[in-house]
Amino acid sequence: QLQLQESGPGLVKPSETLSLTCTVSGDSISSSNYYWGWIRQPPGKGLEWIGSIYYSETTRYSPSLKSRVSISVDTSKNQLSLKLSSVTAADTAVYFCARCPVGEFDYWGQGSLVTVSS
Amino acid sequence: QSVLTQPPSVSAAPGQKVTISCSGSSSNIGNKYVSWYQQVPGTAPKLLIYDNDKRPSGIPDRFSGSKSGTSATLGITGLQTGDEADYYCGTWDSSLSAGFYVFGTGTKVTVL
């Protein structure tokens, strides 16, 4: 049974870098033929795709976040990571990691709330 | 701002049918597979439909998907109180040199 679990600080100060980790169990990030991605949802708002990574190398990012985001994989720990720099209050959201076989996200983590505030 | 447009809300009585539209363009829905997600507030989204009209294992056949041109539709028949949730469409967009994924604006389903 594939499981994803997000972890990281729940509070980040403005202008700092948000860092989250997604631990994957039940599948290997490096060997599977899937994209692995991050999606966020501001309080009371809709879903926003942040970016995805394929075969631990190929990345795709949201055009609106591309200048601030980085997604990588730690194959030794089977973890996906997200870094979002220069955060503002607008980056306050629940952050989800998910697996993307082709055109859909089929397995999701439970989500991690990150609040940007001083 | 999402490039996939959905109605903000739809409603119907238990047992009835609702449809949710998702309008896009030739760079996304027109040339890509569409998926649909159900999200009960406070929980992670759940995949309902992929590849326009396929249901993952465990999703009842009350949920159906279709696509025509640059629009897609999610149908829910035999509406149940447990179907009250937010629903999102999603697909890849190829309008830029690097593809990116887009979600619809979301639709809240209310069971009257």
Short mmCIF file of all heavy atoms in Angstrom, two decimals, chain A residues 39 41 45-49 52 60-61 63 96 100 102-106 108-110, chain B residues 33 35 37 39 43-45 47 50-51 88 90-92 96 99-101 103-105:
data_model
loop_
_atom_site.label_atom_id
_atom_site.label_comp_id
_atom_site.label_asym_id
_atom_site.label_seq_id
_atom_site.Cartn_x
_atom_site.Cartn_y
_atom_site.Cartn_z
N ILE A 39 1.52 19.96 -4.45
CA ILE A 39 0.33 20.76 -4.69
C ILE A 39 0.03 21.50 -3.40
O ILE A 39 0.24 20.97 -2.31
CB ILE A 39 -0.87 19.86 -5.07
CG1 ILE A 39 -0.58 19.07 -6.35
CG2 ILE A 39 -2.13 20.70 -5.25
CD1 ILE A 39 -0.19 17.63 -6.12
N GLN A 41 -2.77 24.34 -1.20
CA GLN A 41 -4.13 24.86 -1.13
C GLN A 41 -4.20 25.91 -0.03
O GLN A 41 -4.23 25.58 1.16
CB GLN A 41 -5.12 23.73 -0.84
CG GLN A 41 -6.57 24.14 -0.86
CD GLN A 41 -7.51 22.95 -0.78
OE1 GLN A 41 -7.25 21.99 -0.07
NE2 GLN A 41 -8.61 23.00 -1.51
N LYS A 45 -9.34 28.18 -0.33
CA LYS A 45 -9.18 28.35 -1.77
C LYS A 45 -8.95 27.01 -2.47
O LYS A 45 -8.99 25.95 -1.85
CB LYS A 45 -8.02 29.31 -2.06
CG LYS A 45 -8.27 30.72 -1.53
CD LYS A 45 -7.19 31.68 -1.99
CE LYS A 45 -7.48 33.09 -1.51
NZ LYS A 45 -6.45 34.06 -1.96
N GLY A 46 -8.72 27.07 -3.77
CA GLY A 46 -8.59 25.87 -4.58
C GLY A 46 -7.18 25.30 -4.60
O GLY A 46 -6.27 25.80 -3.95
N LEU A 47 -7.03 24.24 -5.38
CA LEU A 47 -5.74 23.55 -5.50
C LEU A 47 -4.83 24.27 -6.48
O LEU A 47 -5.27 24.74 -7.53
CB LEU A 47 -5.97 22.11 -5.98
CG LEU A 47 -6.85 21.23 -5.11
CD1 LEU A 47 -7.15 19.91 -5.82
CD2 LEU A 47 -6.21 20.97 -3.77
N GLU A 48 -3.57 24.32 -6.15
CA GLU A 48 -2.56 24.92 -7.04
C GLU A 48 -1.37 23.97 -7.15
O GLU A 48 -0.74 23.63 -6.16
CB GLU A 48 -2.08 26.27 -6.50
CG GLU A 48 -1.02 26.91 -7.38
CD GLU A 48 -0.46 28.21 -6.81
OE1 GLU A 48 -0.60 28.45 -5.60
OE2 GLU A 48 0.13 28.98 -7.59
N TRP A 49 -1.06 23.57 -8.37
CA TRP A 49 0.10 22.72 -8.63
C TRP A 49 1.36 23.56 -8.48
O TRP A 49 1.46 24.66 -9.01
CB TRP A 49 0.01 22.13 -10.02
CG TRP A 49 1.17 21.32 -10.47
CD1 TRP A 49 1.49 20.05 -10.08
CD2 TRP A 49 2.16 21.68 -11.43
NE1 TRP A 49 2.61 19.61 -10.73
CE2 TRP A 49 3.04 20.59 -11.57
CE3 TRP A 49 2.40 22.82 -12.19
CZ2 TRP A 49 4.14 20.61 -12.43
CZ3 TRP A 49 3.49 22.85 -13.05
CH2 TRP A 49 4.35 21.74 -13.16
N SER A 52 6.60 19.17 -10.23
CA SER A 52 6.78 17.73 -10.20
C SER A 52 8.17 17.34 -10.65
O SER A 52 8.84 18.10 -11.35
CB SER A 52 5.74 17.06 -11.13
OG SER A 52 4.43 17.28 -10.68
N ARG A 60 9.49 19.92 -13.48
CA ARG A 60 8.59 20.88 -14.09
C ARG A 60 7.99 21.71 -12.97
O ARG A 60 7.59 21.16 -11.95
CB ARG A 60 7.49 20.17 -14.88
CG ARG A 60 7.99 19.37 -16.06
CD ARG A 60 6.84 18.84 -16.88
NE ARG A 60 7.29 18.07 -18.04
CZ ARG A 60 6.49 17.56 -18.97
NH1 ARG A 60 5.18 17.71 -18.86
NH2 ARG A 60 6.98 16.87 -19.98
N TYR A 61 7.93 23.01 -13.17
CA TYR A 61 7.45 23.90 -12.15
C TYR A 61 6.33 24.78 -12.66
O TYR A 61 6.25 25.11 -13.85
CB TYR A 61 8.59 24.79 -11.63
CG TYR A 61 9.74 24.04 -11.00
CD1 TYR A 61 11.05 24.23 -11.44
CD2 TYR A 61 9.51 23.16 -9.94
CE1 TYR A 61 12.10 23.55 -10.84
CE2 TYR A 61 10.56 22.47 -9.35
CZ TYR A 61 11.86 22.67 -9.81
OH TYR A 61 12.90 21.99 -9.22
N PRO A 63 4.62 27.99 -13.70
CA PRO A 63 5.22 29.22 -14.23
C PRO A 63 5.21 30.37 -13.22
O PRO A 63 6.14 31.18 -13.20
CB PRO A 63 4.32 29.55 -15.43
CG PRO A 63 3.77 28.22 -15.86
CD PRO A 63 3.59 27.46 -14.58
N PHE A 96 0.52 19.53 -0.12
CA PHE A 96 0.36 18.10 -0.35
C PHE A 96 1.46 17.59 -1.27
O PHE A 96 1.84 18.26 -2.22
CB PHE A 96 -0.97 17.79 -1.04
CG PHE A 96 -2.21 18.19 -0.30
CD1 PHE A 96 -2.85 19.39 -0.59
CD2 PHE A 96 -2.76 17.35 0.66
CE1 PHE A 96 -4.02 19.75 0.07
CE2 PHE A 96 -3.93 17.70 1.33
CZ PHE A 96 -4.56 18.91 1.03
N CYS A 100 2.06 11.01 -9.54
CA CYS A 100 1.40 11.33 -10.80
C CYS A 100 1.83 10.36 -11.89
O CYS A 100 2.86 10.54 -12.52
CB CYS A 100 1.74 12.77 -11.20
SG CYS A 100 0.93 13.34 -12.71
N VAL A 102 0.45 9.61 -14.96
CA VAL A 102 0.43 10.20 -16.31
C VAL A 102 -0.19 11.59 -16.22
O VAL A 102 0.50 12.59 -16.13
CB VAL A 102 -0.36 9.33 -17.31
CG1 VAL A 102 -0.36 10.00 -18.69
CG2 VAL A 102 0.23 7.94 -17.39
N GLY A 103 -1.49 11.63 -16.22
CA GLY A 103 -2.18 12.91 -16.17
C GLY A 103 -3.01 13.09 -14.93
O GLY A 103 -3.88 13.97 -14.89
N GLU A 104 -2.75 12.27 -13.93
CA GLU A 104 -3.55 12.37 -12.72
C GLU A 104 -2.68 12.14 -11.48
O GLU A 104 -1.62 11.52 -11.57
CB GLU A 104 -4.67 11.32 -12.75
CG GLU A 104 -4.23 9.88 -12.52
CD GLU A 104 -3.60 9.23 -13.74
OE1 GLU A 104 -3.56 9.87 -14.81
OE2 GLU A 104 -3.14 8.08 -13.61
N PHE A 105 -3.14 12.66 -10.36
CA PHE A 105 -2.48 12.42 -9.08
C PHE A 105 -3.30 11.36 -8.36
O PHE A 105 -4.43 11.62 -7.94
CB PHE A 105 -2.40 13.72 -8.27
CG PHE A 105 -1.45 14.72 -8.86
CD1 PHE A 105 -1.89 15.68 -9.73
CD2 PHE A 105 -0.09 14.67 -8.55
CE1 PHE A 105 -1.01 16.60 -10.31
CE2 PHE A 105 0.80 15.57 -9.12
CZ PHE A 105 0.34 16.53 -9.99
N ASP A 106 -2.73 10.16 -8.21
CA ASP A 106 -3.53 9.05 -7.71
C ASP A 106 -3.35 8.78 -6.22
O ASP A 106 -4.27 8.27 -5.57
CB ASP A 106 -3.29 7.78 -8.53
CG ASP A 106 -1.84 7.31 -8.52
OD1 ASP A 106 -0.98 8.05 -7.99
OD2 ASP A 106 -1.59 6.21 -9.04
N TRP A 108 -2.12 10.63 -2.55
CA TRP A 108 -1.82 11.91 -1.92
C TRP A 108 -1.41 11.71 -0.47
O TRP A 108 -1.88 10.79 0.20
CB TRP A 108 -3.07 12.80 -1.93
CG TRP A 108 -3.57 13.22 -3.27
CD1 TRP A 108 -4.10 12.41 -4.24
CD2 TRP A 108 -3.63 14.55 -3.78
NE1 TRP A 108 -4.47 13.16 -5.33
CE2 TRP A 108 -4.20 14.47 -5.07
CE3 TRP A 108 -3.26 15.80 -3.27
CZ2 TRP A 108 -4.41 15.61 -5.87
CZ3 TRP A 108 -3.47 16.92 -4.06
CH2 TRP A 108 -4.04 16.82 -5.34
N GLY A 109 -0.56 12.60 0.02
CA GLY A 109 -0.30 12.67 1.43
C GLY A 109 -1.46 13.37 2.11
O GLY A 109 -2.35 13.90 1.45
N GLN A 110 -1.46 13.38 3.43
CA GLN A 110 -2.55 14.00 4.18
C GLN A 110 -2.48 15.52 4.19
O GLN A 110 -3.45 16.19 4.51
CB GLN A 110 -2.58 13.47 5.60
CG GLN A 110 -1.35 13.84 6.42
CD GLN A 110 -1.39 13.22 7.82
OE1 GLN A 110 -1.98 12.17 8.02
NE2 GLN A 110 -0.74 13.86 8.78
N TYR B 33 -5.37 14.25 -21.34
CA TYR B 33 -6.33 13.54 -20.53
C TYR B 33 -6.75 14.41 -19.34
O TYR B 33 -5.95 15.14 -18.77
CB TYR B 33 -5.74 12.23 -20.00
CG TYR B 33 -5.63 11.14 -21.03
CD1 TYR B 33 -4.39 10.58 -21.34
CD2 TYR B 33 -6.75 10.65 -21.67
CE1 TYR B 33 -4.28 9.56 -22.27
CE2 TYR B 33 -6.65 9.63 -22.61
CZ TYR B 33 -5.42 9.09 -22.91
OH TYR B 33 -5.32 8.08 -23.82
N SER B 35 -8.53 14.55 -15.47
CA SER B 35 -8.83 13.80 -14.26
C SER B 35 -9.74 14.64 -13.36
O SER B 35 -9.83 15.86 -13.52
CB SER B 35 -7.55 13.41 -13.52
OG SER B 35 -6.75 14.54 -13.26
N TYR B 37 -11.15 15.11 -9.16
CA TYR B 37 -10.83 14.85 -7.77
C TYR B 37 -11.99 15.30 -6.88
O TYR B 37 -12.63 16.31 -7.14
CB TYR B 37 -9.57 15.61 -7.35
CG TYR B 37 -8.39 15.32 -8.25
CD1 TYR B 37 -8.19 16.06 -9.41
CD2 TYR B 37 -7.50 14.30 -7.97
CE1 TYR B 37 -7.14 15.79 -10.27
CE2 TYR B 37 -6.43 14.02 -8.81
CZ TYR B 37 -6.27 14.77 -9.96
OH TYR B 37 -5.23 14.49 -10.81
N GLN B 39 -12.80 16.38 -2.91
CA GLN B 39 -12.14 16.78 -1.67
C GLN B 39 -13.17 17.15 -0.62
O GLN B 39 -13.86 18.16 -0.73
CB GLN B 39 -11.18 17.95 -1.89
CG GLN B 39 -10.37 18.29 -0.64
CD GLN B 39 -9.46 19.47 -0.83
OE1 GLN B 39 -9.75 20.40 -1.59
NE2 GLN B 39 -8.31 19.45 -0.14
N THR B 43 -9.58 17.32 4.30
CA THR B 43 -8.91 16.08 3.91
C THR B 43 -8.19 16.27 2.57
O THR B 43 -8.39 17.27 1.88
CB THR B 43 -9.89 14.91 3.78
OG1 THR B 43 -10.76 15.14 2.65
CG2 THR B 43 -10.74 14.77 5.03
N ALA B 44 -7.37 15.30 2.21
CA ALA B 44 -6.66 15.36 0.94
C ALA B 44 -7.61 15.04 -0.22
O ALA B 44 -8.58 14.29 -0.05
CB ALA B 44 -5.50 14.38 0.93
N PRO B 45 -7.36 15.58 -1.38
CA PRO B 45 -8.17 15.22 -2.56
C PRO B 45 -8.06 13.73 -2.85
O PRO B 45 -7.06 13.08 -2.55
CB PRO B 45 -7.53 16.05 -3.68
CG PRO B 45 -6.90 17.21 -2.99
CD PRO B 45 -6.39 16.63 -1.70
N LEU B 47 -8.71 10.87 -6.01
CA LEU B 47 -8.89 10.71 -7.45
C LEU B 47 -10.19 9.97 -7.74
O LEU B 47 -10.40 8.85 -7.25
CB LEU B 47 -7.70 9.95 -8.04
CG LEU B 47 -7.74 9.67 -9.54
CD1 LEU B 47 -7.69 10.96 -10.33
CD2 LEU B 47 -6.61 8.74 -9.94
N TYR B 50 -9.79 9.34 -14.12
CA TYR B 50 -8.55 9.64 -14.83
C TYR B 50 -8.73 9.26 -16.30
O TYR B 50 -9.65 8.53 -16.65
CB TYR B 50 -7.36 8.93 -14.20
CG TYR B 50 -7.36 7.42 -14.34
CD1 TYR B 50 -6.60 6.80 -15.31
CD2 TYR B 50 -8.13 6.63 -13.48
CE1 TYR B 50 -6.60 5.42 -15.44
CE2 TYR B 50 -8.14 5.26 -13.60
CZ TYR B 50 -7.37 4.66 -14.59
OH TYR B 50 -7.38 3.29 -14.72
N ASP B 51 -7.85 9.76 -17.12
CA ASP B 51 -7.92 9.50 -18.58
C ASP B 51 -9.32 9.79 -19.12
O ASP B 51 -9.86 9.02 -19.92
CB ASP B 51 -7.53 8.06 -18.89
CG ASP B 51 -6.05 7.78 -18.71
OD1 ASP B 51 -5.33 8.73 -18.37
OD2 ASP B 51 -5.63 6.64 -18.92
N TYR B 88 -12.71 18.99 -8.26
CA TYR B 88 -11.76 19.70 -9.12
C TYR B 88 -11.42 18.86 -10.34
O TYR B 88 -11.22 17.64 -10.23
CB TYR B 88 -10.45 19.99 -8.38
CG TYR B 88 -10.59 20.91 -7.19
CD1 TYR B 88 -10.86 20.40 -5.93
CD2 TYR B 88 -10.44 22.29 -7.33
CE1 TYR B 88 -10.98 21.23 -4.82
CE2 TYR B 88 -10.56 23.14 -6.23
CZ TYR B 88 -10.82 22.60 -4.99
OH TYR B 88 -10.94 23.43 -3.91
N GLY B 90 -8.55 18.44 -13.52
CA GLY B 90 -7.12 18.71 -13.65
C GLY B 90 -6.57 18.10 -14.92
O GLY B 90 -7.09 17.10 -15.43
N THR B 91 -5.53 18.73 -15.46
CA THR B 91 -4.89 18.21 -16.65
C THR B 91 -3.56 18.94 -16.87
O THR B 91 -3.29 19.95 -16.23
CB THR B 91 -5.79 18.39 -17.88
OG1 THR B 91 -5.20 17.73 -19.00
CG2 THR B 91 -5.95 19.87 -18.22
N TRP B 92 -2.75 18.42 -17.77
CA TRP B 92 -1.52 19.09 -18.14
C TRP B 92 -1.83 20.17 -19.20
O TRP B 92 -2.77 20.05 -19.96
CB TRP B 92 -0.49 18.11 -18.71
CG TRP B 92 0.15 17.25 -17.67
CD1 TRP B 92 -0.21 15.98 -17.32
CD2 TRP B 92 1.26 17.59 -16.84
NE1 TRP B 92 0.61 15.51 -16.32
CE2 TRP B 92 1.52 16.46 -16.00
CE3 TRP B 92 2.07 18.72 -16.70
CZ2 TRP B 92 2.56 16.47 -15.05
CZ3 TRP B 92 3.09 18.71 -15.76
CH2 TRP B 92 3.32 17.59 -14.95
N LEU B 96 3.15 26.48 -22.78
CA LEU B 96 4.52 26.97 -22.64
C LEU B 96 5.49 25.87 -23.05
O LEU B 96 5.09 24.71 -23.19
CB LEU B 96 4.78 27.41 -21.20
CG LEU B 96 3.87 28.51 -20.65
CD1 LEU B 96 4.19 28.79 -19.20
CD2 LEU B 96 4.00 29.78 -21.49
N GLY B 99 5.71 21.90 -20.03
CA GLY B 99 4.34 21.65 -19.62
C GLY B 99 4.14 21.91 -18.14
O GLY B 99 5.08 21.84 -17.34
N PHE B 100 2.93 22.25 -17.81
CA PHE B 100 2.60 22.45 -16.41
C PHE B 100 1.20 21.92 -16.15
O PHE B 100 0.37 21.83 -17.06
CB PHE B 100 2.70 23.93 -16.00
CG PHE B 100 1.86 24.87 -16.82
CD1 PHE B 100 0.63 25.31 -16.35
CD2 PHE B 100 2.31 25.34 -18.05
CE1 PHE B 100 -0.15 26.18 -17.10
CE2 PHE B 100 1.53 26.21 -18.80
CZ PHE B 100 0.30 26.63 -18.32
N TYR B 101 0.95 21.56 -14.89
CA TYR B 101 -0.33 20.98 -14.52
C TYR B 101 -1.26 22.07 -14.02
O TYR B 101 -0.82 23.00 -13.33
CB TYR B 101 -0.14 19.92 -13.44
CG TYR B 101 -1.29 18.95 -13.31
CD1 TYR B 101 -1.33 17.79 -14.07
CD2 TYR B 101 -2.35 19.22 -12.45
CE1 TYR B 101 -2.39 16.90 -13.97
CE2 TYR B 101 -3.41 18.34 -12.33
CZ TYR B 101 -3.43 17.19 -13.10
OH TYR B 101 -4.49 16.31 -13.00
N PHE B 103 -5.23 22.85 -12.26
CA PHE B 103 -6.47 22.40 -11.66
C PHE B 103 -7.58 23.38 -12.01
O PHE B 103 -7.33 24.57 -12.24
CB PHE B 103 -6.34 22.33 -10.14
CG PHE B 103 -5.48 21.20 -9.64
CD1 PHE B 103 -4.16 21.43 -9.27
CD2 PHE B 103 -5.99 19.92 -9.53
CE1 PHE B 103 -3.36 20.39 -8.82
CE2 PHE B 103 -5.20 18.87 -9.07
CZ PHE B 103 -3.89 19.10 -8.73
N GLY B 104 -8.79 22.89 -12.03
CA GLY B 104 -9.93 23.76 -12.22
C GLY B 104 -10.18 24.62 -11.01
O GLY B 104 -9.57 24.43 -9.95
N THR B 105 -11.11 25.54 -11.14
CA THR B 105 -11.43 26.49 -10.08
C THR B 105 -12.18 25.85 -8.92
O THR B 105 -12.27 26.42 -7.84
CB THR B 105 -12.25 27.66 -10.63
OG1 THR B 105 -13.35 27.14 -11.40
CG2 THR B 105 -11.39 28.54 -11.52
#
